[in-house]
Amino acid sequence: MIYIIFPILALVHLGVLFLGSDIFLVRLISKIIPILYLIALSVGEGRWKTRAGIWLGIGLVFSLGGDTILAFPDKYFVFGLGSFLIAQVGYSVSFSWGNPVHFLRLIPYVIFGASYFYWLLPGIAPALTIPVAVYVSAICVMGWRSAAREVSSRDRWLGILGAISFIISDSIIALGQFTPNKLPFHGVWVMSTYYIAQFLIYLSQEEEE
């Protein structure tokens, strides 16, 4: 059912964004329901019974927190960033549990992260330089850990694609936040890649239960 219910829930919020609804509660509730669904599903499936599943759940819960915080004015941006930072740590630990290190697979993520951060740097306020650098490092580590897993080809590629989608989503947020190059329908692009990321990351651990 996840293959039907989650896309429908995600599309509802994307529709709300596309139509430009100004009703705060509609935007907030439609935004968080897809992640609430994944949290409820993870509990129902008993994922909390494994350590990887527990950390996946932590990632989902703090993603939900970040979604909620970032629905409010920009002055709370750093708190949303902090919540998503914990989510990235959760996903990284979940991907790492029982898997090897594979330092060579870190290289492309380091190159991307360093290059993107350097490009954004002129637009980042001094007070946010370190928090943004830490967050960029965290999403790159999450991407690396998804690529370092010794699991089935299906699960590994779902995890890699999910992590890359998360990196793309966060990169679009940073683009709009720290540069004048905001994409048309910015919110739709952010949330569509974000929902794809959460969906694929969740599916990538189904066979480990």
Side-chain angles (χ1 to χ4, degrees), residues 162-185:
I164 290 173
S165 295
F166 221 133
I167 292 170
I168 292 171
S169 180
D170 285 337
S171 298
I172 296 171
I173 292 174
L175 187 72
Q177 192 76 23
F178 303 120
T179 80
N181 304 312
K182 201 167 187 176
L183 296 176
F185 300 107

Side-chain angles (χ1 to χ4, degrees), residues 14 19 39 52 58 67 75-76 82 114 169 172 180 207:
L14 296 178
L19 295 173
I39 292 171
I58 290 171
D67 285 338
K75 65 181 180 178
Y76 299 111
S169 180
I172 296 171
E207 293 181 5

Side-chain angles (χ1 to χ4, degrees), residues 112-161:
F112 168 80
S115 301
Y116 197 70
F117 179 75
Y118 181 77
W119 183 62
L120 293 173
L121 191 56
I124 301 174
L128 287 176
T129 301
I130 292 177
V132 173
V134 170
Y135 188 80
V136 170
S137 300
I139 63 170
C140 290
V141 167
M142 189 265 293
W144 163 46
R145 297 316 302 152
S146 74
R149 296 163 74 206
E150 293 294 343
V151 291
S152 69
S153 178
R154 169 201 179 267
D155 281 1
R156 184 169 60 253
W157 279 107
L158 285 173
I160 291 170
L161 293 173

